[in-house]
Amino acid sequence: MSKITHIEGLKPAESTVDLLTAILRDGARELLTKALEVEIEEFLERYRELRDEDGRQRVVRNGHHKEREVQTGIGAVTVKAPRARDRAEGGEKIQFRSSILPPYLRRSKSIEELLPWLYLKGISTGDFSEALTSLLGPDAAGLSASTISRLKKSWEVEYLDWNRRDLSAKEYVYLWADGVYFQARLEEQKQCVLVLMGSTPSGTKELIAIQDGYRESEQSWLELLLDLKQRGMEASPRGAVGDGALGFWKALHKVYPQTCPLRCWVHKTANVLNKMAKGVHGKAKAALHEIWMAESRKEAEKAMDAFAETYGAKYPKAVECLTKDREELLAFYDFPAEHWKHLRTSNPIESTFATVKLRTAKTRGCLSRVTALTMVFQLCRCAQKGWRKIDGYELLTKVIEGVKFVDGVEDVAA
């Protein structure tokens, strides 16, 4: 037990810290130190053949920088960054700059995600030090109220700059749109956040816009789309996925009339089942599943007609809800089969905002509209780092070129 309770490098104040956390910190410190050593050795190797005026190796090790602490998700990790020296007299010096541990880094990215989450949960600026101390250990107290206030202001500036960025170099093949509601703590009514994501020609998913609007009205979406177009997003996306209740569709037709509308099957399934008795939900859901999982449009049309015939007499509103959007629901058959899983649902937004919704649902205290947007932006940007490319992204070039697909397969006769 003595070997565990006296871990090398731990301070006396850490004696009450959970032992597992202490071990993890020690391991993180050792791993970071080794990574820095590998990095500087690779740097020195690049300049191994260089010599100074006296014939000595020009770029050499020069000890370490002063010890510093980096706040991470498991608490403060103490580390010394290695240094290098260029012996040459005069001229431009060769400098070693670590990409792992930049000169002024004091927080890991996990902390940057934690701070907006705490703020949205209702932790006041003055209580951050106490909250972080409980979560990350006693050394986190250095993140004072003034530090948090400066971070919050810098995040607001960052969001506003991002919201005005030039989009002339951007092209998006597919769009996903949704409106997300949550209660901003200084507003009387729930705030609607309009969210737009897109897929680039390389298959990478990107956050395009996060703006507030009046509910999910056509006017709000129109203003958002026109703003994007004015900032350079000129090319019409080939397809757009969203819920049927959005004012997005009318606005999309006005700004990007050539974009194919694709209705989200997750939303549609929920809307249809809401108009049916709970006792038939199991069978009805299975019947709906047979429609959008059919191998061809013809089979999907047949399955939809069968659903209408089976439930039309008892649940006419449910059948009408389904069949009125027949074309938009089945439009995904005109795109590569590899893309179908991405085009049948607005899940890229739903899965990201599921977490954000949970984090904003029980907010307390004082949160302004701009601050709420800023914090949601920060959380979404963190989530974006984990987004995967869409399947079959190599086929996006053909979609851009206008190649015709029938039931998910390229029509070579066209």
Side-chain angles (χ1 to χ4, degrees):
M1 181 62 72
S2 60
K3 291 184 179 180
I4 297 179
T5 56
H6 293 86
I7 298 174
E8 182 182 354
L10 291 183
K11 298 179 179 180
E14 291 178 305
S15 60
T16 58
V17 175
D18 172 68
L19 292 179
L20 177 58
T21 302
I23 293 171
L24 290 172
R25 285 190 203 172
D26 193 58
R29 179 168 42 248
E30 182 178 351
L31 183 63
L32 180 56
T33 300
K34 289 181 178 179
L36 290 169
E37 286 298 318
V38 171
E39 187 179 33
I40 195 169
E41 286 300 325
E42 290 177 349
F43 170 81
L44 293 172
E45 185 62 33
R46 289 201 301 270
Y47 301 100
R48 186 75 64 189
E49 303 302 322
L50 288 181
R51 293 291 183 266
D52 65 6
E53 295 81 354
D54 299 325
R56 300 175 301 175
Q57 185 173 329
R58 177 175 164 179
V59 183
V60 296
R61 289 287 298 259
N62 189 32
H64 293 80
H65 289 283
K66 184 179 178 180
E67 187 176 73
R68 59 178 159 133
E69 291 180 342
V70 178
Q71 295 294 338
T72 73
I74 56 172
V77 174
T78 304
V79 66
K80 284 184 178 181
R83 294 194 304 186
R85 181 164 68 93
D86 184 354
R87 287 170 164 168
E89 297 290 339
E92 186 176 350
K93 295 286 188 178
I94 297 174
Q95 295 182 334
F96 170 66
R97 295 186 181 277
S98 173
S99 59
I100 298 173
L101 191 67
Y104 302 105
L105 181 70
R106 291 292 183 271
R107 298 182 309 277
S108 71
K109 292 297 181 183
S110 61
I111 299 297
E112 292 183 7
E113 181 177 358
L114 177 61
L115 294 179
W117 177 79
L118 287 175
Y119 202 93
L120 286 171
K121 288 297 287 184
I123 302 296
S124 66
T125 302
D127 293 335
F128 263 82
S129 291
E130 182 179 350
L132 291 171
T133 298
S134 299
L135 288 168
L136 306 178
D139 297 319
L143 290 169
S144 63
S146 60
T147 302
I148 300 301
S149 295
R150 287 195 300 271
L151 278 173
K152 188 177 69 172
K153 289 179 181 178
S154 69
W155 286 336
E156 289 182 4
V157 172
E158 194 175 350
Y159 166 69
L160 293 173
D161 288 343
W162 178 83
N163 216 29
R164 294 190 291 258
R165 72 198 186 283
D166 179 32
L167 296 171
S168 57
K170 290 291 185 180
E171 181 179 5
Y172 296 101
V173 186
Y174 300 132
L175 298 180
W176 293 271
D178 203 358
V180 183
Y181 291 86
F182 66 93
Q183 186 73 50
R185 290 180 252 160
L186 282 185
E187 308 295 331
E188 293 182 1
Q189 297 182 345
K190 284 186 177 181
Q191 186 174 7
C192 178
V193 176
L194 306 180
V195 184
L196 202 64
M197 287 173 52
S199 169
T200 66
S202 65
T204 302
K205 297 173 189 172
E206 292 183 355
L207 193 62
I208 302 175
I210 296 180
Q211 293 184 20
D212 58 344
Y214 179 71
R215 299 185 181 276
E216 299 174 54
S217 67
E218 176 188 348
Q219 183 61 33
S220 295
W221 279 108
L222 183 62
E223 291 173 2
L224 185 151
L225 293 175
L226 286 174
D227 177 58
L228 295 177
K229 196 164 189 176
Q230 289 168 1
R231 288 193 278 128
M233 192 174 137
E234 294 284 348
S236 294
R238 299 308 186 269
V241 188
D243 179 14
L246 298 177
F248 170 74
W249 301 112
K250 291 182 179 179
L252 180 71
H253 181 71
K254 291 179 179 179
V255 182
Y256 299 111
Q258 295 179 335
T259 301
C260 175
L262 297 141
R263 204 54 54 85
C264 172
W265 269 97
V266 173
H267 283 94
K268 179 57 71 176
T269 298
N271 292 337
V272 170
L273 294 179
N274 282 340
K275 295 174 174 56
M276 305 178 77
K278 290 185 178 180
V280 299
H281 278 193
K283 289 184 178 180
K285 189 173 182 179
L288 291 170
H289 186 271
E290 288 184 10
I291 300 173
W292 59 266
M293 284 298 291
E295 290 291 326
S296 67
R297 182 191 287 264
K298 184 177 180 180
E299 291 179 12
E301 294 271 11
K302 184 177 179 181
M304 187 175 289
D305 291 339
F307 183 94
E309 183 177 355
T310 302
Y311 297 104
K314 287 189 175 181
Y315 305 105
K317 290 184 178 180
V319 170
E320 181 186 3
C321 177
L322 174 67
T323 57
K324 70 182 179 67
D325 294 320
R326 179 188 293 256
E327 184 59 35
E328 291 85 354
L329 285 167
L330 302 182
F332 67 86
Y333 284 104
D334 297 332
F335 293 89
E338 291 85 348
H339 299 172
W340 287 359
K341 64 181 291 186
H342 306 286
L343 301 180
R344 289 186 292 215
T345 174
S346 56
N347 185 61
I349 291 180
E350 289 292 315
S351 58
T352 297
F353 270 82
T355 302
V356 176
K357 285 179 180 179
L358 287 174
R359 292 175 176 182
T360 60
K362 298 180 180 180
T363 54
R364 295 291 184 269
C366 180
L367 182 65
S368 70
R369 179 185 62 83
V370 175
T371 303
L373 279 171
T374 300
M375 297 305 168
V376 170
F377 165 66
Q378 288 293 333
L379 290 171
C380 289
R381 197 171 64 163
C382 289
Q384 179 175 284
K385 298 170 186 175
W387 293 347
R388 295 173 53 251
K389 282 189 173 185
I390 71 170
D391 294 347
Y393 60 85
E394 64 277 0
L395 294 170
L396 288 170
T397 302
K398 292 188 176 183
V399 175
I400 295 171
E401 292 172 350
V403 172
K404 186 177 181 181
F405 287 83
V406 177
D407 294 331
V409 179
E410 183 177 349
D411 185 3
V412 293

